[in-house]
Amino acid sequence: MAFLRRVPWRSLIPLVLLTVGAAYSLASWNWCGSWAERAPVVLSQARGEGPLRAGAAKVALVPPFPVVVAGYAPPRPEAAQADPPLHARAVVLEAGGARVGLVSLDLLSVTMDVVERVRAQAAASGLGEVLVMATHAHSSMGGYDSRLVAQLAGTGKFRQESVDAIVTAAVAALTRAAAAMTDVTLAVGEAHEPSLVYSRSSGTAPDGALTRVVLRAKTGPVAELLLFAAHPTMVARERAYVDPDYPGRLCALRESEGSGVTLLLQGAVGNASVAYSEGKGLERVAGFAQVLATVAGKVAVSPVGESVRLSLARVEATMPRPDASRLVPSLTRAAGDNLLCESAQRVAEVGALALGPLELVTVPGEPTVDAGAVLVGRTGATGVLGLANGYVGYVEAPELVNDGRGESRRQYFGPALLERLASAAELAARTAGFSR
C-alpha cells in the first residue's frame, strides 16, 4: 500500500488508456461473423374444409412467486402476487381433417423455447399445429427468456420455473379445449375505433381496426377472438403486482357477458399505444377495458356457410445480421452488434392462418402499421397477427429504417428484416391457400 501511495497518479494514465483500448478493441472485434441467407422453407401445413368444430378453455397461469415484473428496462419491481390473475386461453379448431390450436398468454412475449415445448406436449392431444401468442402486457411476469438482451431490456433474470409455469398453463388450456370440441358456426365482423389508439412515432397512424370472430354451438357461445392492436402499457411501471393490463380485463369482461372464452390477439400496430385517458391509475385500465368490451359487443358479425375453410402453414425464414447502428452511439456500433448477435435468432417462423374469410399472416414480433401494410400487400391477407410463435422485436418498413424514423430505433435488425419476413409470408400464404 505504501508503494501505491508513492506512485504518481499521472503515471497510471497510460495503463488505464491501454486497458480501455484493449477492452474496446476486444468488444469491437467481429464476433458475430457473417449470417447465411437462404430461401424460406415450409415447416408444416394443414388444410381442410368442411363443417367446423371448436373447443375452448381458460386456465390460470400461476407464476413462481416472487417473480420479476416484465415490460420495461431496469429497475423492475418484484411481485408476490397477481392482480388480476394471469391466464392462458386456448381455442382448438377443426374442419375437413385439419386441426389447429390457438393459445393466447397474458405475457409480454413468447420465446421459441416456450413455443417448441408447448407444441411437443400438445401433440399428445392430437394437436400437430399450434400458434402460441402473447397479449403483450407490459406488466406481466418475466424470467422466461434466456437471451441476454431480452433479460436486460424487458423480461428480467431468467428462471426455468417461469418457463415451466407458462408451458404448463398453455398445454393445459389446449388439452382442455381439444377435449371440449363440438360443432360450431362461424361469424365474422369488423369495426374501426381510431379514437382508442394513436401512433407514438412518425409512421402511419393506426386505424383502430377491431376484428371479431364468434364461434357458437347450439348450446351457446364457445369462443370469441378479438384482433385489435394497441400496446398494453396502461399499468404503472412501479406497481409491484403481476397484472395482465387491459387484455386480461377485457377478456374477463366479455366472458362474464356470455361470449365464451375470449382471446385478445395483437395486430400489426407495434407502434401504437392506448389513447383513452379517463380515470387514473387502475381505474383508467379498467375503464379502457370496459369501453373496448362495449365496442366489441356491438361489432356486427356475418355468418359463414356450413362449410368452413381452415388452414395453417408455417415457414422458416433466415434473419439478416443484427444491426445496432440505430440503438447505440456510433463508436460502440460493433460492440452493440456483438451483443445483439449473442441474443438474436438466426431463423424465425412466419405463418399464414385461414379461417373462413379471414386470412392472417402471423409474425414473431411487433410489426408496425407500415410493415403490416407491406405484408398485406405482398400476401393478399386480410390482416396481420403479431407476437406469434417467437419474438424478434420490432418490424419496421425499410424506408423508415434507412431514415431512422418510426420504430426503427427499437428494431434489432437492419432494413432487410421486413423483406425476409415478407418473402416467407408469401410462401406461407400460397401454401395455406390464400385466395389471392
Side-chain angles (χ1 to χ4, degrees):
M1 294 297 293
F3 170 76
L4 291 177
R5 284 195 294 270
R6 290 197 299 270
V7 175
W9 67 268
R10 290 184 179 83
S11 66
L12 297 176
I13 293 178
L15 178 61
V16 171
L17 292 177
L18 182 62
T19 302
V20 171
Y24 178 79
S25 298
L26 186 63
S28 300
W29 185 269
N30 181 13
W31 300 104
C32 199
S34 60
W35 285 35
E37 178 182 0
R38 60 169 169 75
V41 176
V42 175
L43 296 174
S44 68
Q45 59 177 305
R47 294 177 64 174
E49 186 168 351
L52 184 64
R53 289 172 53 81
K58 170 184 175 182
V59 173
L61 198 175
V62 183
F65 294 115
V67 68
V68 64
V69 179
Y72 301 101
R76 302 182 188 92
E78 192 173 76
Q81 67 183 82
D83 181 27
L86 307 180
H87 287 92
R89 291 175 167 89
V91 172
V92 175
L93 305 164
E94 186 177 69
R99 177 177 278 200
V100 175
L102 312 177
V103 59
S104 175
L105 302 164
D106 286 331
L107 293 176
L108 177 68
S109 59
V110 293
T111 66
M112 277 310 299
D113 177 50
V114 167
V115 173
E116 289 169 357
R117 287 188 56 186
V118 168
R119 284 177 177 159
Q121 295 185 34
S125 299
L127 283 171
E129 297 297 338
V130 175
L131 280 176
V132 185
M133 299 158 288
T135 63
H136 202 47
H138 279 246
S139 49
S140 184
M141 63 174 283
Y144 56 84
D145 197 326
S146 62
R147 295 173 295 180
L148 178 59
V149 169
Q151 294 183 60
L152 294 173
T155 60
K157 185 178 179 181
F158 176 74
R159 294 175 58 196
Q160 187 60 48
E161 297 90 341
S162 291
V163 177
D164 295 340
I166 293 167
V167 172
T168 296
V171 172
L174 286 165
T175 302
R176 294 181 191 180
M181 299 282 286
T182 186
D183 296 337
V184 298
T185 58
L186 172 68
V188 181
E190 184 176 273
H192 291 80
E193 291 292 336
S195 64
L196 296 180
V197 294
Y198 73 92
S199 177
R200 69 183 183 190
S201 71
S202 57
T204 303
D207 62 2
L210 172 62
T211 300
R212 181 186 178 203
V213 179
V214 177
L215 300 166
R216 179 182 291 274
K218 290 182 178 180
T219 55
V222 171
E224 179 181 67
L225 309 180
L226 300 175
L227 179 59
F228 185 69
H231 268 180
T233 55
M234 302 186 75
V235 176
R237 298 188 183 195
E238 66 275 8
R239 188 170 189 246
Y241 292 87
V242 170
D243 192 308
D245 209 293
Y246 84 79
R249 291 169 172 82
L250 165 66
C251 293
L253 281 171
R254 293 296 300 153
E255 289 160 353
S256 69
E257 295 167 1
S259 68
V261 176
T262 298
L263 277 63
L264 187 282
L265 313 177
Q266 288 289 341
V269 192
N271 63 340
S273 295
V274 176
Y276 190 76
S277 59
E278 289 187 10
K280 296 181 179 179
L282 295 179
E283 293 179 357
R284 182 170 175 261
V285 186
F288 179 81
Q290 182 62 69
V291 169
L292 193 52
T294 301
V295 170
K298 293 180 179 179
V299 175
V301 294
S302 300
V304 178
E306 293 184 2
S307 183
V308 175
R309 177 182 54 146
L310 173 65
S311 63
L312 174 67
R314 298 188 295 112
V315 171
E316 184 178 84
T318 56
M319 293 291 92
R321 193 176 184 275
D323 176 13
S325 62
R326 300 166 311 283
L327 311 178
V328 298
S330 58
L331 289 176
T332 60
R333 159 73 186 281
D337 284 356
N338 288 331
L339 179 62
L340 288 179
C341 278
E342 289 300 313
S343 299
Q345 297 178 201
R346 291 184 177 252
V347 295
E349 185 180 299
V350 177
L353 172 68
L355 176 61
L358 287 179
E359 295 180 332
L360 303 175
V361 170
T362 71
V363 179
E366 301 178 63
T368 65
V369 176
D370 295 282
V374 171
L375 291 166
V376 167
R378 294 271 294 266
T379 62
T382 58
V384 176
L385 177 58
L387 295 150
N389 291 343
Y391 186 74
V392 298
Y394 276 90
V395 182
E396 184 57 276
E399 61 270 18
L400 296 181
V401 177
N402 289 326
D403 293 341
R405 296 185 292 122
E407 296 298 335
S408 64
R409 63 188 184 279
R410 297 181 177 90
Q411 182 170 305
Y412 302 147
F413 299 91
L417 175 62
L418 180 57
E419 174 58 34
R420 298 286 183 91
L421 296 178
S423 295
E426 287 182 308
L427 176 57
R430 291 195 300 270
T431 305
F434 277 18
S435 56
R436 174 173 168 173

